[in-house]
Amino acid sequence: MFLNPGNVLSWATFFPLAGAAAIVVLLAVRYVANLPKKLVDDGARLIALLASGLSLVAAVAAWRMYDPTDTGVQLTHHFVWIRSFNIEYFVGTDGLSISMVLLSGLISFVATIASMPWWSGAKAAEMAGMVEHDHGHGDDAHHPKHFSVRMVPGYMVMLLLLQTGMMGTFVALDMFLFYVFWEVMLLPMYFLIGVWGGPRKEYAAIKFFLYTLAGSVLMLLAIIGIYYNSAPAMLADGTLSSGHTFNIIELGRQAAKGQFLNAAPILGIAFTKLAFVALFIGFAIKIPMFPFHTWLPDAHVEAPTPISVILAGVLLKMGIYGILRFNYPILPDATAWAAHAMAVFGVINIVYAAFVCLGQKDLKKLIAYSSVSHMGFSLLGMAAMTPAGISGAVLNLFTHGIISPMLFLIVGVIYDRAHHREIEKFGGLASELPEYTAIMGLAFFASLGLPGLAGFIAEFMVFTGAFPVFTGYTIISATAVIITAAYYLWAIHRMFLGKLNPVYKGYPDLNWRERISLYPLAAIAIVLGFYPQAILGVINRSLHLIIQNIRPL
Amino acid sequence: MEHANLQVVGHAAEELGRLAVHHVSYLWLIPLFPLVGAAINALVGWKLQRMFGKKIVHRIAVTAMLAAFAVALRAFWQILHLPAEERFLQDTLWNVLTAGRVTVDLAFALDPLSMMMTLVVTGIGTLIHVFSIGYMADEPAYWRFFSYLNLFIFAMLLLVMGDNFAVMFFGWEGVGLASYLLIAFWYTDPEKAKAGMKAFVANRFGDFGFIAGLLLLFWALGGAWTPRDGGLLRNTDYQPAAELNAVAPAATAAEADALAPRVEGVKVGPTLNFRELRDQVVIEATGVKERLVHTHIWGVSILALIGILLFVGAMGKSAQLPLYVWLPDAMAGPTPVSALIHAATMVTAGVYMVARLNFLFALSPSAMGWVALIGAATAIFAASIGFFQYDIKKVLAYSTVSQLGFMFIGVGVGAYWAGTYHLLTHAFFKATLFLGSGSVILGCHHEQDMRKMGGLKKYMPITRWTYLLACIAIAGFPVMNGFYSKDEILFKAFTSRHLELFGVATPWLGPAIFVIGIVAATGTAFYMYRSYYMTFTGEYRGNSGHHDEHNVDPHAAVAAKSSALSHSVHADDGAAHAFGATSHAPAHGALADTPVHAAAVHAHGAHGHDAGHATAHDDDAAHGHGHHGGTPHESPWTMTLVLVLLAAGSFLTLFLGIPTLWSHAAPALEHWLEPALPAVEVASWRFHEVPHALEWMFQGIGVLAATVGWVAARALYKDGKSEVPARLKARFEGAWTVVYNKYYVDELYAFAVLRPAVSFARALSRFDGTVIDGLVNFVGAVGRTLGRLDAAIDKYLVDGLVNAVAQATWGIGRQMRHVQTGRIQTYLYGALGGALVVVLLNFLIS
Amino acid sequence: MISLTHFLVVGALLFTLGLVTVATRRNAVGILMGVELILNGANVNFVAFNHYVTGGVTGQVFALFVIVLAAAEAAVGLAIVLSIFQTFKTIDVRHADLMRE
């Protein structure tokens, strides 16, 4: 078999990179052989589809190879990379990351599909004789300004680079490697928003980049601090490292023995607390946690649809993932110290963002803020450090990673047709776009936590897990079920129900590209609604192991 | 014994044992059939409807219902042949989730209580599906309607058959979704869409309470809340009982089962499963009951808090004060929906939930007191609003709210079987009333205002008789079922002396509730007969006055492009329909001719899908859809048959509740439900004993109340001749206005909740955009300013120095170039000068 | 008696006159003449020192060389003057300041 447990994660990570390289080669050939632009564009698209498809295949293979009964790190690929600094190439997965690997592969592929201008509704409608072309509205994929036809090879290269960065971040088990992937992910995102984005793209891209970079700097400092306080460890080739180690698993082991408790305090503050806060802020920006969340609405509003999909579906998960990967095992005592604060921030995220959603006028902003609200559940759940809480927190990452891409795709559908996202300006769309309305209803209800759809299970588990530890906070955050229902239903009401606004007459319903990207996610949302154990059964054991080392204060 | 500390010596330890469970493997079929029906109609219904006509759509839906009903009967048959104590069928499909102590199976259970509910849901559900065939015949989105209806039945079955809280909650929210979809079925009318939204959001308030109560219950089972430092938010005083919280967290269902602690073979500790909950609470040896009774949180008995929070959930779903406001608005949905969801089944879910948890509520007289009190308050409050409504469906809606109040009185005072019995009788007579009103509305061409009806008994004899029988039932005359359930509830209310409020014993509450109940019952009789007399007696008033309420007309309201199905446009005023190659049936035009013809048309509910045929009817359709004029007509046989069956059911179910006083045996339903209602054995209270003579007297009072209400209504409204109502209205204009406008509760909510919430949201949104984001931008601006400053320093100081050197060099060179004239002679002066200097130096040095 | 000093005085006068001519004349030809004077001043010295100090013919030979050199120099100098004239249409050296550039 081509994919084996020793390399499957590396393949999943580097297939997109290979695709990006292939596109660069194609570009070089273009200048040599003077190929027509359309051929190169379509070639780049095909390569991107293929590369991220292969990455998805590898991710699914990794999911299948993963043994849920084993709580250790699996599917490792491990060798020494830079010996003088004890840096290793160390990828592997445990229950925490395996669901994220799957999610990352899936959402990347969906985003790649959503980046294609093919199967456009304009053509379909033309064939059906429903839309007159003179009116100009309808599918806008062929509009020269549309992101999916502008500088296609460059876009695809960036998209693939981003995918490599994401997958690498989830599988890296060496701090340095993690940081490299983390930064690799950042840069393409900057270009994707800044070049292919909306009207205020430069502002949004810069804001996103600087904000997250500020976080990474703190993170880097913490990583270096942890490195210099660590003890030597075995390297991949059996030799002892010189002095310190970047190996996350090994650092966790050392931490369990109290390695970092005796580290020299900095400015009179215990090293573990300082390292915790630095790492936490770095990750909290990515979550995004109140009050570091304001880059998100801007980035989402300006980013093209597939980038919003990736941003909401995968990138937001890295904050929580990073905290669970670094802070929890490496700094358990500081984690116990900070648990209460995390819960408070979680509650603020949930309730505050829900109210902000209620006041939004821009559909995409509404959904962006709903992401902020939903990530609060993860914070609350993991702060509780109960088995149900932490499983719920990670399940929430997965389910939100399924639902929010749907929501952003849905916004993209209407934006491509109407060229605006003002909720108030729509009205009665259900009469004109029944299929779209149905899938939108499904996504909205999944997001508002209707039982039988994925979102509810995670919320429920977080509530159940957090309740005995933070009773009052849990009750406060449960009020979000009311607000969430209110803002989603109100949005449905204003956009889809009532009399059809005649402006939107003759709009084509979903086209095949949109169907291909939306229906699989919808199916997963329904299946997970009734059988979340498919995920939980795999991730439970590792997660419960993570919290066992943390003794609540 | 490792769990010795849990052992409490119970005084009645032997009274109740564990539930004997019979595992069967077919229960999942009951909800499956409606689900499949819903899925088929939702996914390909519009295609099927276009290809084969509407017939195929309702055939699929009704077949699914019949199949579910048949399986339910099969289960009933099996349960009937089990000994009373072993009547518990269970069917586990798969493990939904497990993490730590939380484990949820997708599992169904049937005990006598849920069996009764299942039969009601599938049985009455089937009948209402059949009724809808006629009622919705003109609806272009026929497939959508039946899909939603089946979806509702699926969710309702999850609710009643769920083996644990989670599955029940799946159903609980599922019916909310179906209700939302069906209320907003004619979504092009913003008012109707808003009603759906209101229903869902109001229910979410209830769900919040439900979830909070559920979580509290779940964790109360696994430990104790003891007041320690009075911390309100971070609950540091939760003390998990180590032996009840398995140390090792479970990852799979099997592990969870293995890790769960047991006392004498009974699983104890946190659970979401009803049966495990019941076992550990009712079996005294586990000590769970003692622990729960003595646990307090935030100074309140935890059981009271759990009970009240769960009841908040019931308030939402069962439309009790103060969350009832959505139900009257829910009448925006098609009438069969009102009958099925908003009368017979969904709204009784709260009652069902309280009955299902009877053993918990019975332990907390405080919770019981609140349930009964809210029930009584709702009963009389809603009845009073019902007095003056003119919309026939609104009357029935408030009547439903009021009757639900009666049910909560029943389950509140501890007469669980009586409350459940009223649920059953109400399901029959209220479904009859709603469907009767639906028949009237259809017969009067979608007119809902009773002032424009009248004299319909001439035109709609079957509807009239069934409606009258249902009125008799709800008013409480002993010839129909309503008397037996209502009488039992009020009697039990009077004899309950155990209720508490705020932990204070209130023995007067029971009798007080009785009095309120009797007044409400009198009112019920009055407004129901009022609706009957206004509708069916006197002269038909529909032809006079003009009809401007086209917005209540489903045909005009639905400008439906039901999924590319019918692309033709419905003219807004309903005057002209563009019948292209669409599937819209113009049956309504034909309906106006003769009842016989109409019945024939409706019997072929899918008549109009034939495009050619439809065109032939164009003329009829054009004026038929104007809805002006035309006499009322009886509804097609599918509808009247259902009415007759339900009316018959309203009569026959009375035999389930013949009081002990008459027959010297426990009522059949009480006997049947007994195994599912262990409250009586668990509770420490008993109903007050009263002499038989007094019991007779109470029944007499009940009949008297009904008679008073009936006589008053007859005097005021029969044949529409009396001038008294108008005079009374004029005399008490102010009071009438307040009541007619439903005490302005909606306005109050809009003012006190809705607008502040939205303003708050807007404010927060602005806060986020200006302050928080402003902070970020401020940091950015500070950074930029610092950058500029740095750039200035760099430019003027650092770079300035460098430039200064260069400048100096350049300046010097500029000056020096004047020396170089290019004239040899100048240079020669230089050379001479130099030589002179050398010579002079030579002299100077030496 | 005519001593060495007399010759040297004549030589110095010649030299000084020549130098002043070179330094002050604006006419390029005049400057050339001044150069001749300087050279001849030197010649006087050569011959005088040979006769009074060293003896032999070395000084005379040098003087002859200088005369030859002066002839060659005059030829080149006049050619330059011609060139200057062709360029500047004058032989006033104040205008010939191209070397300044």
Side-chain angles (χ1 to χ4, degrees):
Chain A
M1 177 82 186
F2 180 54
L3 295 169
N4 63 50
N7 64 15
V8 62
L9 291 177
S10 296
W11 279 123
T13 308
F14 291 110
F15 269 133
L17 190 67
I23 293 175
V24 171
V25 170
L26 182 69
L27 274 181
V29 172
R30 178 193 173 179
Y31 287 113
V32 174
N34 211 5
L35 298 175
K37 179 176 182 300
K38 192 177 164 354
L39 186 74
V40 177
D41 283 2
D42 281 347
R45 288 185 184 121
L46 268 179
I47 291 171
L49 261 186
L50 192 70
S52 68
L54 283 172
S55 175
L56 173 61
V57 168
V60 172
W63 173 263
R64 299 289 304 275
M65 289 173 194
Y66 184 82
D67 173 13
T69 56
D70 178 3
T71 53
V73 179
Q74 303 178 30
L75 311 179
T76 53
H77 192 190
H78 196 175
F79 55 83
V80 179
W81 180 19
I82 306 172
R83 187 174 298 277
S84 47
F85 289 103
N86 306 310
I87 293 168
E88 296 173 293
Y89 177 85
F90 184 18
V91 298
T93 182
D94 59 2
L96 173 58
S97 55
I98 185 69
S99 61
M100 293 296 105
V101 167
L102 186 66
L103 180 71
S104 176
L106 180 70
I107 298 304
S108 300
F109 188 57
V110 168
T112 315
I113 291 176
S115 306
M116 303 298 156
W118 301 335
W119 310 292
S120 76
K123 266 185 211 159
E126 208 177 354
M127 280 191 284
M130 282 163 68
V131 178
E132 284 130 63
H133 253 295
D134 320 335
H135 290 166
H137 52 237
D139 193 286
D140 205 47
H142 293 296
H143 193 274
K145 286 274 174 65
H146 197 264
F147 74 89
S148 63
V149 292
R150 225 155 28 92
M151 296 184 261
V152 178
Y155 176 90
M156 293 299 165
V157 167
M158 288 298 161
L159 191 66
L160 291 174
L161 265 182
L162 180 65
Q163 294 176 10
T164 290
M166 293 189 306
M167 190 64 88
T169 308
F170 285 130
V171 297
L173 290 176
D174 182 278
M175 282 198 298
F176 188 83
L177 189 68
F178 176 91
Y179 188 77
V180 168
F181 279 126
W182 182 274
E183 295 297 317
V184 162
M185 180 185 74
L186 214 54
L187 208 66
M189 202 59 177
Y190 170 74
F191 285 112
L192 285 167
I193 296 175
V195 177
W196 288 272
R200 291 177 75 220
K201 56 194 177 186
E202 289 90 358
Y203 171 75
I206 285 278
K207 193 168 177 180
F208 164 82
F209 189 74
L210 287 184
Y211 222 137
T212 32
L213 202 65
S216 337
V217 168
L218 286 174
M219 203 168 91
L220 183 64
L221 288 177
I223 286 176
I224 292 170
I226 289 172
Y227 173 73
Y228 278 111
N229 282 299
S230 65
M234 282 296 176
L235 291 178
D237 53 4
T239 57
L240 196 66
S241 71
S242 51
H244 308 291
T245 179
F246 275 113
N247 184 329
I248 296 174
I249 305 300
E250 179 57 34
L251 286 167
R253 264 185 231 128
Q254 294 181 4
K257 293 182 206 138
Q259 169 76 23
F260 301 103
L261 289 178
N262 302 323
I266 299 165
L267 299 174
I269 306 169
F271 168 76
T272 48
K273 288 181 184 176
L274 210 62
F276 183 94
V277 171
L279 277 175
F280 186 77
I281 292 179
F283 292 126
I285 287 171
K286 206 71 160 196
I287 290 175
M289 187 186 81
F290 176 91
F292 305 123
H293 64 278
T294 52
W295 62 268
L296 183 76
D298 282 316
H300 267 309
V301 166
E302 300 309 326
T305 302
I307 304 311
S308 282
V309 165
I310 285 186
L311 196 55
V314 187
L315 254 65
L316 298 194
K317 279 54 203 184
M318 289 177 178
I320 302 282
Y321 170 79
I323 294 172
L324 287 175
R325 171 64 74 209
F326 283 75
N327 297 30
Y328 272 55
I330 300 180
L331 305 162
D333 299 86
T335 305
W337 163 75
H340 193 183
M342 285 201 286
V344 173
F345 278 115
V347 173
I348 294 177
N349 255 33
I350 294 169
V351 179
Y352 174 85
F355 266 111
V356 174
C357 282
L358 195 58
Q360 284 311 316
K361 295 190 173 72
D362 183 313
L363 182 62
K364 210 169 182 184
K365 259 198 174 153
L366 185 149
I367 289 165
Y369 275 109
S370 89
S371 291
V372 177
S373 179
H374 281 100
M375 295 324 284
F377 285 110
S378 283
L379 266 176
L380 180 64
M382 66 191 218
M385 297 187 209
T386 53
I390 198 154
S391 290
V394 176
L395 185 68
N396 187 42
L397 297 187
F398 195 87
T399 55
H400 181 259
I402 297 294
I403 294 166
S404 66
M406 273 181 83
L407 294 170
F408 281 111
L409 287 170
I410 280 164
V411 179
V413 170
I414 197 68
Y415 186 72
D416 276 352
R417 285 158 177 69
H419 307 296
H420 72 87
R421 292 178 300 252
E422 290 286 310
I423 296 172
E424 301 283 356
K425 284 195 197 160
F426 295 105
L429 291 180
S431 312
E432 202 60 32
L433 310 167
E435 190 184 351
Y436 176 61
T437 308
I439 197 91
M440 179 278 323
L442 184 87
F444 274 22
F445 276 100
S447 185
L448 70 79
L450 189 84
L453 297 167
F456 167 73
I457 302 287
E459 257 175 53
F460 178 74
M461 289 180 68
V462 166
F463 286 150
T464 324
F467 190 80
V469 187
F470 303 108
T471 315
Y473 296 146
T474 311
I475 290 176
I476 293 173
S477 47
T479 57
V481 301
I482 304 169
I483 313 163
T484 313
Y487 68 70
Y488 273 130
L489 292 193
W490 199 25
I492 293 180
H493 182 77
R494 287 178 288 173
M495 286 182 65
F496 293 92
L497 308 184
K499 284 237 183 308
L500 176 68
N501 186 339
V503 177
Y504 304 109
K505 200 139 197 64
Y507 272 34
D509 213 332
L510 293 185
N511 61 43
W512 273 105
R513 175 193 39 149
E514 289 152 359
R515 285 193 187 121
I516 291 170
S517 49
L518 278 167
Y519 281 105
L521 296 178
I524 294 172
I526 293 173
V527 169
L528 283 186
F530 280 94
Y531 189 51
Q533 190 67 12
I535 303 287
L536 287 171
V538 176
I539 66 178
N540 265 341
R541 282 173 218 273
S542 295
L543 292 177
H544 299 166
L545 205 66
I546 290 178
I547 53 170
Q548 267 174 21
N549 286 329
I550 301 167
R551 287 163 293 277
L553 291 182
Chain B
M1 182 77 216
E2 55 187 301
H3 299 299
N5 59 334
L6 293 174
Q7 298 266 354
V8 176
V9 183
H11 55 86
E14 280 74 45
E15 274 183 359
L16 280 172
R18 299 174 63 189
L19 267 179
V21 180
H22 288 265
H23 291 282
V24 291
S25 55
Y26 62 85
L27 292 190
W28 58 282
L29 288 171
I30 302 178
L32 179 76
F33 284 120
L35 178 65
V36 170
I40 294 176
N41 272 337
L43 297 175
V44 291
W46 61 278
K47 225 176 237 173
L48 290 175
Q49 188 175 327
R50 191 171 50 183
M51 286 161 64
F52 304 108
K54 288 181 177 171
K55 242 182 287 184
I56 187 83
V57 170
H58 68 241
R59 275 185 190 159
I60 290 169
V62 173
T63 310
M65 287 305 300
L66 282 173
F69 186 53
V71 182
L73 281 178
R74 159 81 179 78
F76 182 56
W77 187 253
Q78 184 177 1
I79 238 177
L80 210 56
H81 286 83
L82 290 169
E85 303 75 41
E86 295 181 14
R87 284 175 177 165
F88 195 95
L89 302 182
Q90 209 267 359
D91 184 4
T92 302
L93 289 188
W94 63 73
N95 180 249
V96 173
L97 63 93
T98 300
R101 300 248 46 196
V102 188
T103 179
V104 173
D105 288 337
L106 185 61
F108 303 110
L110 285 180
D111 66 347
L113 178 61
S114 55
M115 188 70 244
M116 185 198 95
M117 289 297 291
T118 307
L119 287 176
V120 169
V121 171
T122 52
I124 295 187
T126 309
L127 290 178
I128 292 176
H129 271 70
V130 173
F131 183 90
S132 308
I133 297 173
Y135 190 83
M136 301 300 285
D138 293 350
E139 175 58 48
Y142 199 65
W143 57 277
R144 195 158 60 88
F145 180 78
F146 277 98
S147 169
Y148 291 171
L149 221 49
N150 268 352
L151 176 70
F152 167 76
I153 297 287
F154 163 71
M156 192 66 204
L157 286 171
L158 283 190
L159 196 163
V160 299
M161 291 172 64
D163 189 31
N164 54 51
F165 272 108
V167 177
M168 184 194 211
F169 195 64
F170 273 48
W172 187 271
E173 291 287 298
V175 292
L177 169 70
S179 162
Y180 167 76
L181 293 172
L182 282 164
I183 294 170
F185 183 73
W186 290 312
Y187 55 81
T188 44
D189 180 350
E191 284 307 310
K192 294 183 176 183
K194 197 171 267 175
M197 178 166 74
K198 186 173 174 182
F200 198 90
V201 175
N203 266 305
R204 275 265 154 166
F205 276 91
D207 297 342
F208 166 67
F210 187 93
I211 290 176
L214 177 59
L215 294 174
L216 200 55
L217 170 63
F218 182 78
W219 286 109
L221 291 169
W225 268 268
T226 49
R228 229 171 36 178
D229 55 359
L232 269 181
L233 287 179
R234 191 184 183 194
N235 195 68
T236 46
D237 39 6
Y238 169 74
Q239 308 255 286
E243 61 276 15
L244 291 183
N245 282 286
V247 177
T252 62
E255 278 179 28
D257 192 54
L259 289 168
R262 287 180 164 75
V263 177
E264 306 212 328
V266 181
K267 258 197 211 177
V268 291
T271 180
L272 289 168
N273 188 296
F274 290 129
R275 187 166 29 88
E276 289 170 6
L277 178 66
R278 175 216 176 264
D279 282 354
Q280 59 178 304
V281 171
V282 304
I283 297 175
E284 305 235 350
T286 59
V288 172
K289 185 174 123 187
E290 293 301 314
R291 176 210 295 278
L292 284 178
V293 169
H294 293 119
T295 304
H296 287 68
I297 175 172
W298 302 330
V300 187
S301 158
I302 203 164
L303 272 175
L305 203 58
I306 292 170
I308 290 168
L309 283 171
L310 288 174
F311 179 58
V312 169
M315 277 178 193
K317 198 102 305 189
S318 294
Q320 296 297 290
L321 279 175
L323 296 178
Y324 72 97
V325 286
W326 63 271
L327 186 59
D329 286 21
M331 295 302 130
T335 307
V337 170
S338 309
L340 177 61
I341 301 184
H342 306 121
T345 55
M346 182 185 89
V347 289
T348 60
V351 182
Y352 170 75
M353 192 256 291
V354 177
R356 158 103 6 263
L357 299 175
N358 59 81
F359 46 88
L360 274 182
F361 278 90
L363 291 179
S364 172
S366 268
M368 293 175 72
W370 279 110
V371 174
L373 182 64
I374 299 276
T378 311
I380 190 150
F381 181 79
S384 74
I385 298 178
F387 278 9
F388 303 125
Q389 297 300 315
Y390 291 120
D391 185 326
I392 188 168
K393 284 182 75 180
K394 282 273 159 70
V395 173
L396 293 176
Y398 282 106
S399 159
T400 305
V401 175
S402 170
Q403 295 300 310
L404 288 165
F406 276 101
M407 292 178 214
F408 278 111
I409 296 176
V411 294
V413 300
Y416 295 102
W417 90 267
T420 316
Y421 181 41
H422 197 55
L423 188 163
L424 177 70
T425 58
H426 175 259
F428 278 99
F429 63 67
K430 190 50 69 62
T432 316
L433 288 170
F434 260 118
L435 295 184
S437 79
S439 176
V440 165
I441 290 166
L442 193 69
C444 295
H445 315 299
H446 298 284
E447 179 56 67
Q448 297 192 2
D449 191 335
M450 291 193 293
R451 283 170 295 191
K452 291 171 188 159
M453 297 175 179
L456 294 180
K457 68 180 174 185
K458 193 166 59 187
Y459 306 103
M460 316 178 74
I462 303 174
T463 306
R464 177 257 179 141
W465 279 113
T466 51
Y467 196 90
L468 181 59
L469 285 174
C471 275
I472 294 172
I474 191 173
F477 290 105
V479 292
M480 294 296 280
N481 60 7
F483 166 79
Y484 298 90
S485 51
K486 195 189 295 187
D487 185 70
E488 180 69 18
I489 287 172
L490 292 178
F491 176 65
K492 281 285 163 48
F494 185 80
T495 55
S496 53
R497 299 285 186 277
H498 52 267
L499 303 181
E500 292 176 8
L501 293 175
F502 300 112
V504 180
T506 50
W508 48 267
L509 188 58
I513 287 173
F514 171 78
V515 174
I516 296 173
I518 286 294
V519 175
T522 315
T524 306
F526 173 76
Y527 67 69
M528 285 316 302
Y529 276 107
R530 171 178 173 267
S531 79
Y532 169 75
Y533 284 123
M534 284 184 81
T535 310
F536 291 101
T537 64
E539 288 303 313
Y540 181 56
R541 298 179 292 269
N543 284 332
S544 56
H546 83 217
H547 299 239
D548 51 353
E549 280 105 340
H550 281 296
N551 57 337
V552 297
D553 172 15
H555 315 274
V558 180
K561 175 202 169 191
S562 13
S563 177
L565 170 66
S566 64
H567 215 51
S568 71
V569 184
H570 298 241
D572 280 352
D573 59 3
H577 280 71
F579 283 105
T582 78
S583 65
H584 194 295
H588 220 80
L591 270 179
D593 299 337
T594 64
V596 182
H597 183 193
V601 172
H602 269 290
H604 296 88
H607 184 64
H609 68 275
D610 178 342
H613 202 104
T615 325
H617 274 274
D618 245 1
D619 289 346
D620 282 349
H623 67 73
H625 272 274
H627 300 148
H628 297 284
T631 47
H633 55 83
E634 182 59 287
S635 299
W637 68 268
T638 49
M639 291 165 69
T640 49
L641 174 71
V642 169
L643 287 175
V644 171
L645 285 176
L646 284 171
S650 304
F651 172 69
L652 292 175
T653 46
L654 78 83
F655 294 107
L656 294 174
I658 302 289
T660 320
L661 190 64
W662 299 10
S663 64
H664 303 288
L669 190 71
E670 183 179 9
H671 184 69
W672 164 255
L673 288 176
E674 217 178 335
L677 302 174
V680 203
E681 282 86 350
V682 174
S684 54
W685 44 265
R686 292 289 175 270
F687 286 109
H688 196 64
E689 294 290 334
V690 292
H692 281 325
L694 213 57
E695 230 173 296
W696 283 107
M697 198 189 83
F698 281 125
Q699 295 187 349
I701 293 175
V703 177
L704 185 67
T707 316
V708 168
W710 167 51
V711 169
R714 190 172 192 282
L716 293 177
Y717 293 102
K718 182 158 191 304
D719 299 338
K721 284 175 183 149
S722 171
E723 297 296 318
V724 183
R727 281 214 305 279
L728 284 177
K729 182 183 157 188
R731 178 83 180 68
F732 301 103
E733 187 72 50
W736 184 88
T737 315
V738 171
V739 177
Y740 182 74
N741 287 306
K742 306 141 197 167
Y743 299 102
Y744 296 105
V745 174
D746 280 330
E747 287 78 2
L748 177 72
Y749 283 179
F751 180 74
V753 182
L754 215 56
R755 276 202 278 163
V758 174
S759 318
F760 181 60
R762 292 254 154 86
L764 266 194
S765 174
R766 267 199 301 278
F767 171 77
D768 196 76
T770 52
V771 179
I772 303 284
D773 202 26
L775 263 177
V776 175
N777 283 341
F778 174 72
V779 172
V782 167
R784 237 185 359 251
T785 315
L786 281 178
R788 289 221 181 96
L789 194 65
D790 189 39
I793 291 172
D794 197 60
K795 186 170 167 188
Y796 296 113
L797 201 70
V798 182
D799 204 24
L801 265 177
V802 177
N803 282 347
V805 172
Q807 196 98 45
T809 317
W810 183 72
I812 292 167
R814 198 180 155 79
Q815 296 306 316
M816 294 293 285
R817 66 186 277 197
H818 294 303
V819 178
Q820 186 183 349
T821 58
R823 297 184 199 133
I824 303 297
Q825 287 162 335
T826 322
Y827 302 153
L828 189 62
Y829 296 147
L832 286 178
L836 202 64
V837 169
V838 169
V839 172
L840 284 177
L841 276 180
N842 198 24
F843 281 111
L844 282 175
I845 291 168
S846 57
Chain C
M1 184 68 193
I2 294 172
S3 67
L4 177 63
T5 310
H6 297 104
F7 286 99
L8 288 184
V9 168
V10 173
L13 275 176
L14 274 176
F15 182 82
T16 307
L17 283 175
L19 198 62
V20 169
T21 307
V22 168
T24 57
R25 296 292 295 196
R26 290 176 187 166
N27 195 314
V29 179
I31 290 173
L32 279 181
M33 292 166 125
V35 172
E36 292 300 324
L37 283 180
I38 290 171
L39 289 175
N40 284 316
N43 276 349
V44 172
N45 281 16
F46 274 126
V47 174
F49 277 113
N50 185 59
H51 178 80
Y52 290 101
V53 182
T54 54
V57 289
T58 316
Q60 278 85 341
V61 173
F62 259 101
L64 282 177
F65 265 108
V66 170
I67 288 166
V68 174
L69 196 90
E73 183 259 328
V76 173
L78 281 173
I80 289 173
V81 168
L82 273 177
S83 174
I84 284 175
F85 182 76
Q86 275 166 3
T87 308
F88 298 100
K89 303 294 176 211
T90 173
I91 49 173
D92 186 340
V93 293
R94 283 178 307 175
H95 297 288
D97 57 353
L98 275 180
M99 268 175 73
R100 193 181 61 181
E101 303 305 319

